[in-house]
Amino acid sequence: MAKHFQQSALWVQFKCAHGWSCLTHKDVSVLVRTFRLGFFKVSLAYVPLAPEPDFSRPVPRAGKDIAYIKQLDAFSSELKPLLPKHTLCIRYDLPLDYATVSERDDYNASVPDMALLSNTNIKKSRVDVQPPDSVLLDISRSEEEILAAMKSKWRYNVRYAQKHGVSVRKITALDPDFLHELDSFYSLYKTTAARDGIGIHPLSYYRDLLERGAKDDSQADVSLYIASHEGEDLAAIITLCMGSEAVYLYGCSSNEKRNLMPNYLIQWTAICDARKFGCKVYDFYGIPPTDDPAHPMHGLYLFKTGWGGAEVHRPGSFDIPLSRLYTMYIFAEKLRAFWHKKVMKKIRGR
């Protein structure tokens, strides 16, 4: 099975340029972040979407397959001596894909019992590092087949944008106007952050990612797409293509001319380019778990599922504690999550 992009050299080196360090064990990349917790200097080890189960069944079943729990425990025991002395825990984003929320939730609910049976100290993290729910669109088909499989309104919106003069341009870090285009993207991103109450990275973060993706040895295509109408930029996204996988990483839009449907045409353009690159799957990367109208991101759910892809639901983040300070860290992490998701989001929204 091909590595997830977060296990790639490109992504790991990128994260190491932005506050993380890295080590490799059994061909699995492990990110390490060191910070202060009160008077203590501590570290957190993070393993994104690895290790893969080493047995034949495609996905461990709820309450049945303690083999994978044992595999994680053994991997953690081997990894511990390689980590900084005061590492609080090893956090895993488990690479297990479930077709339904109930299957995923059943598996998560059974982990404590499986941990007890296997004598493994594994705990569900209160905070998921990566979005556990996503939509994977099969783009190994022809463009006509992909269009036919999406909701009719989505086809209409793509063609509506084309008909009404919306254009999409693809930009890489090698283009002469790259920095100007990046500034336009960031201006749109700040507009989106203010509108939706979300936090964003500094401009240098996105510049670095795009520049790394433009290098000859990156084996990837990291591109910026900008949709415009009559010279006015309306929407922008950043995508990554690597091997058979394409990922929609970041997206933003203006408050103007939303009726022209630029977000639909920009996604369709990126999907078509990902097909040409040779990708088989386009990952929309992050949705609410269910079609719940009360969810604050329900509109995002509708937008991403309307393209005709299959929903995938992963278990999220799990921790194997290594230190007595782990409990203190979890409490601090909970407070931080409350501050950013509740307090700061409300402030940004204003």
Side-chain angles (χ1 to χ4, degrees), residues 325-340:
L325 294 175
Y326 170 78
T327 302
M328 185 189 303
Y329 170 73
I330 291 302
F331 178 73
E333 190 176 56
K334 184 179 179 180
L335 288 178
R336 181 179 183 275
F338 175 81
W339 175 259
H340 284 281

Side-chain angles (χ1 to χ4, degrees), residues 93 96 104 128-134 286-287 312-317:
D93 266 315
L96 311 177
R104 185 267 308 282
D128 291 319
V129 181
Q130 303 301 326
D133 307 283
S134 190
I287 58 169
V312 60
H313 305 278
R314 297 187 176 114
S317 301

Side-chain angles (χ1 to χ4, degrees), residues 167-322:
S167 61
V168 177
R169 59 191 185 275
K170 177 181 178 179
I171 303 106
T172 73
L174 300 178
D175 292 329
D177 291 334
F178 168 63
L179 294 181
H180 173 74
E181 301 281 22
L182 186 65
D183 284 340
S184 180
F185 157 79
Y186 201 63
S187 177
L188 288 170
Y189 216 169
K190 287 190 290 186
T191 296
T192 300
R195 183 178 65 232
D196 297 342
I198 60 174
I200 61 176
H201 295 287
L203 177 64
S204 57
Y205 184 89
Y206 307 102
R207 175 179 177 176
D208 185 30
L209 175 60
L210 287 156
E211 288 179 340
R212 288 174 185 273
K215 293 179 180 178
D216 291 338
D217 61 352
S218 70
Q219 297 183 326
D221 177 15
V222 184
S223 298
L224 168 64
Y225 292 85
I226 298 180
S228 62
H229 180 262
E230 296 179 346
E232 182 180 1
D233 292 339
L234 303 178
I237 64 173
I238 293 177
T239 64
L240 179 150
C241 294
M242 180 180 294
S244 63
E245 176 185 35
V247 187
Y248 163 37
L249 292 175
Y250 307 106
C252 50
S253 61
S254 166
N255 293 327
E256 308 301 323
K257 299 184 180 180
R258 298 170 71 86
N259 60 303
L260 295 181
M261 307 299 170
N263 293 315
Y264 291 84
L265 184 58
I266 202 170
Q267 286 290 344
W268 177 242
T269 304
I271 288 167
C272 292
D273 284 352
R275 283 188 70 256
K276 295 172 186 174
F277 185 84
C279 298
K280 305 299 181 185
V281 174
Y282 188 89
D283 188 345
F284 280 93
Y285 206 53
I287 58 169
T290 61
D291 184 8
D292 178 7
H295 194 286
M297 302 299 285
H298 183 242
L300 187 71
Y301 177 93
L302 295 177
F303 176 74
K304 292 186 176 183
T305 56
W307 296 90
E311 292 184 39
V312 60
H313 305 278
R314 297 187 176 114
S317 301
F318 281 79
D319 295 341
I320 292 188
L322 303 179

